[in-house]
Amino acid sequence: EILDAGVGEMLQPFDLDEFREWNRSKKSHKLQDKRMTEQEAVEAFVSEGGYLGTELYGTVRAPMSLTRELIRQRIGNLRVCGQGVLELDMLIAAGLVSAADVTYIGLEVYGVSAPLRRAVESGQMRTVEWSNAAITWRFKAAAMGVPFLPVRTMLGTDTLKYSAAKVTRDPFTGIQVALIPALILDVGLIHVHRADRYGNCQIEGITGFAVEMSRACKRLIISAEEIVDTDVIRCCAEHTCIPYYLVDAVVEAPFGSHPGEMAYLYGRDEPEIKAWVDASQTEEGTAAYLQEWVTDLPDHIAYLEKLGEDQMRNLRNLREVR
């Protein structure tokens, strides 16, 4: 018995048996070298009209080097989800997003994103709302191979009203529960502290929803601050939260989260984030910023050269202390 239902669209219909078959027949489980550049990984695994997920939230571990490459390659009509700030904001500003499962796309202390507002008000982008917990549990349901998880999040809120969740009665206790549908990504983008050439990944500090999302992807592109020898991974294997057989590409990207931060390595670049916020208030300013910091630069190496050693050194000095 369905007691209530959100009015939101199911942006990514799913077939759990098809996903299981995909992992069995199309996902390589070989221990093979998966190192690529951002350009190679995006060209190989991201397609026009695909459903894309990013991880983490705020400006923490944002997959920015991969995001900038997506913008360079102009892969559009994307459907997206994530708890994004910088990466999803820039994809929306570049006109590449047609629909989004929204948990949070804001600019924290700077308020609501201007590109998000323009995209929604103009009709460029459709949105469906979810809570932060709900989007993570949608990944978890896909990873578990079940069509939904019963939860109590969003009950009694307008977030549920504008989601695609349904409310039913728990047959064991009689209480109302929200049914959160599984979410299978065409491609996931995750930035980590270190990985080996095969895709074994480790994260320092908050792990966010990397574990859940990495297991809900058909294709997974990892960018890493450094690619290390497998023996380094094996020395503290208990920190390996994403194993190699989930990963399709590994990209070495020092300062790959910039202007976001990386726990224990570098702090967030507040002046550069403010520069993006100011520029993105208008379409003209947005276009000028993206041209200077993205499309006029051939790759992430050129981006780091433009950023400069002094700025990178200053950001390392802002890193969190263990």
Side-chain angles (χ1 to χ4, degrees):
E1 180 188 5
I2 301 301
L3 305 176
D4 195 7
V7 299
E9 176 186 357
M10 183 76 78
L11 296 179
Q12 177 75 334
F14 60 91
D15 182 331
L16 292 170
D17 290 335
E18 187 270 341
F19 184 46
R20 178 173 295 188
E21 180 59 29
W22 172 281
N23 282 314
R24 183 184 299 115
S25 62
K26 297 185 180 181
K27 194 88 167 180
S28 173
H29 299 129
K30 296 178 181 178
L31 199 65
Q32 62 190 44
D33 194 333
K34 299 171 184 172
R35 289 174 295 179
M36 300 183 187
T37 65
E38 283 92 356
Q39 180 181 1
E40 291 168 337
V42 170
E43 283 181 350
F45 299 118
V46 185
S47 301
E48 186 88 7
Y51 192 102
L52 183 79
T54 63
E55 196 266 352
L56 179 59
Y57 55 77
T59 56
V60 181
R61 285 197 301 101
M64 292 306 299
S65 71
L66 295 171
T67 298
R68 286 186 282 268
E69 184 56 38
L70 278 169
I71 296 172
R72 289 188 197 101
Q73 295 192 26
R74 298 299 304 169
I75 300 176
N77 195 28
L78 295 171
R79 291 160 295 135
V80 302
C81 75
Q83 299 169 356
V85 174
L86 292 171
E87 74 278 17
L88 295 188
D89 202 40
M90 286 191 180
L91 290 175
I92 292 167
L96 303 181
V97 177
S98 61
D101 280 311
V102 175
T103 59
Y104 171 73
I105 306 176
L107 293 160
E108 298 179 313
V109 296
Y110 302 109
V112 175
S113 153
L116 173 66
R117 181 180 292 278
R118 287 197 298 269
V120 171
E121 291 179 350
S122 68
Q124 169 197 319
M125 186 177 80
R126 313 186 310 279
T127 60
V128 182
E129 295 188 18
W130 303 91
S131 71
N132 287 347
I135 208 74
T136 304
W137 290 330
R138 292 190 67 191
F139 295 140
K140 189 176 184 67
M144 293 172 64
V146 297
F148 61 83
L149 286 179
V151 302
R152 300 179 79 174
T153 188
M154 303 194 304
L155 288 171
T157 71
D158 274 357
T159 303
L160 188 142
K161 178 180 178 181
Y162 293 103
S163 75
K166 299 182 185 299
V167 179
T168 189
R169 199 173 302 282
D170 168 34
F172 299 102
T173 65
I175 66 170
Q176 291 189 17
V177 291
L179 306 184
I180 306 296
L183 178 55
I184 298 169
L185 302 176
D186 293 323
V187 186
L189 309 179
I190 300 178
H191 188 62
V192 303
H193 284 74
R194 72 188 68 86
D196 67 10
R197 67 181 64 192
Y198 308 118
N200 293 300
C201 304
Q202 297 181 340
I203 295 171
E204 300 285 342
I206 185 169
T207 57
F209 49 102
V211 170
E212 291 82 2
M213 197 177 96
S214 64
R215 288 154 175 82
C217 301
K218 288 185 173 179
R219 298 296 188 189
L220 177 57
I221 303 174
I222 293 293
S223 57
E225 287 292 319
E226 59 176 343
I227 294 179
V228 299
D229 190 84
T230 301
D231 285 343
V232 175
I233 299 292
R234 287 172 175 163
C235 283
C236 49
E238 70 276 10
H239 293 159
T240 304
C241 59
I242 302 173
Y244 74 92
Y245 53 82
L246 299 174
V247 177
D248 295 280
V250 181
V251 177
E252 188 163 41
F255 280 86
S257 181
H258 185 269
E261 69 263 41
M262 215 56 193
Y264 312 126
L265 294 181
Y266 51 88
R268 78 186 231 146
D269 191 336
E270 201 65 50
E272 190 56 42
I273 293 173
K274 182 65 161 57
W276 163 250
V277 173
D278 291 342
S280 66
Q281 297 305 304
T282 66
E283 293 184 3
E284 296 77 14
T286 299
Y289 183 96
L290 292 177
Q291 180 175 346
E292 177 182 357
W293 284 97
V294 182
T295 57
D296 278 356
L297 302 175
D299 52 31
H300 184 58
I301 294 173
Y303 179 86
L304 294 182
E305 290 173 350
K306 181 175 175 63
L307 185 63
E309 282 292 338
D310 288 344
Q311 183 65 356
M312 287 187 279
R313 189 178 303 110
N314 290 338
L315 293 172
R316 289 190 190 98
N317 291 337
L318 289 174
R319 66 186 182 274
E320 298 176 46
V321 178
R322 287 181 184 271

